[in-house]
Amino acid sequence: MIETTITPALLAAVRNGERILCLSHVKPDGDAVGSLLGMGWLLRSLGKAPVLALQDTVPDEGRGLPGVEEILTDASPDFERIVRQQAFDLIVCLDASSPDRMGTVYHPPVHESATLVVIDHHVTNTGFGALNWVDPSSVSTTQMVARLADALEVPLTGPLAECLLTGLVTDTLCFSTSNVTPRTLELAMRLMEGGANLALITQRTVNRRPYRLIKLWSLILPTVNLADGVIWASATPEMLAQTGMPTSEVGLSSYLVTADEADMSAVFIEQVNGDGSTRVECSFRAKPGFNVAEVAFALGGGGHPAAAGCTVEGDLATIPPRVVAALQAARRRQLAARHGTA
Ligand code: AMP
Ligand code: MN
Ligand code: MN
């Protein structure tokens, strides 16, 4: 069952947890790292010693956050022993909308006996935990962790405040998305009063990128196309290899959707599977009033109305035309519904 508010059962699970594992999604973003670390600081305030884990390494925007060096990843020598072979009584999964998003951290043979608590804000969440707190009205999972801290009377100060403000800033592109409300800004104000430095966090996340990413964009942008209100571009494995950028940090879809003529954007990244076949990772964005989550969900992915994604088996010759057609059809439906002609 999915709950949209904090339940007594969830509070009890957190209060009673002794051996606790906290995790977030593969290819983590600022909200994944911020909510994971924030949950860690919250639990430490309650006198607990949680293990924090991610499948993939922390992205640049998460580096420098307090406690980040304690996160165990697939590449850590102790990952198998401390994360995958250890039994826990409570597992807290943050910012992940479906079980596959937990990647290699969640190891059912060993972890199945733990109470799995899901805390997430994706409208596409499948409710895969024993307890599921899913609030799509929250702009970030860190906003939900802040609410949990309030419920448990943990003050929003110091490292906790810094981690929580990071997720708020990254998932709202610095308070500029259409889901930002006065409540969001009120929380940001409290986190700043608690010591979090907004200018520093912004500079470490949304306002910076490595030069090699700009080089990669210069290779992808020649492929850009626009038709029927959808703008899209594609990246080959060679482009990624040439610039050494991980796929999780391509990030171009937010830029493409700024085109005046576009209501939706898509970036397609081809990746080679272990067996030599290929898959295409798709990243979607929508202007306010449009919804790309439904297309992502229909293709086996997930996300939010304004930012969503999926991974489809196939290559750049076949997948983009199919997916762009699906986005164009969704846009037409959404326009028709808006004008009452659906
Ligand atoms: P991105 O375009 O990678 O920044 O992702 C935008 C949003 O879509 C994030 O909230 C992701 O959690 C979600 N998302 C991206 N890819 C997937 C996927 N393969 N499955 C589920 N959700 C995804
Ligand atoms: Mn995320
Ligand atoms: Mn998020």
Side-chain angles (χ1 to χ4, degrees), residues 25 29 31-32 95 120-122 139-141 171 304:
H25 62 79
D29 50 22
D31 190 33
D95 199 42
D120 183 36
H121 68 131
H122 291 91
V139 299
S140 66
T141 298
D171 265 20
H304 311 284

Side-chain angles (χ1 to χ4, degrees), residues 219-230:
L219 301 176
I220 300 174
L221 279 171
T223 73
V224 75
N225 255 297
L226 174 89
D228 287 338
V230 177

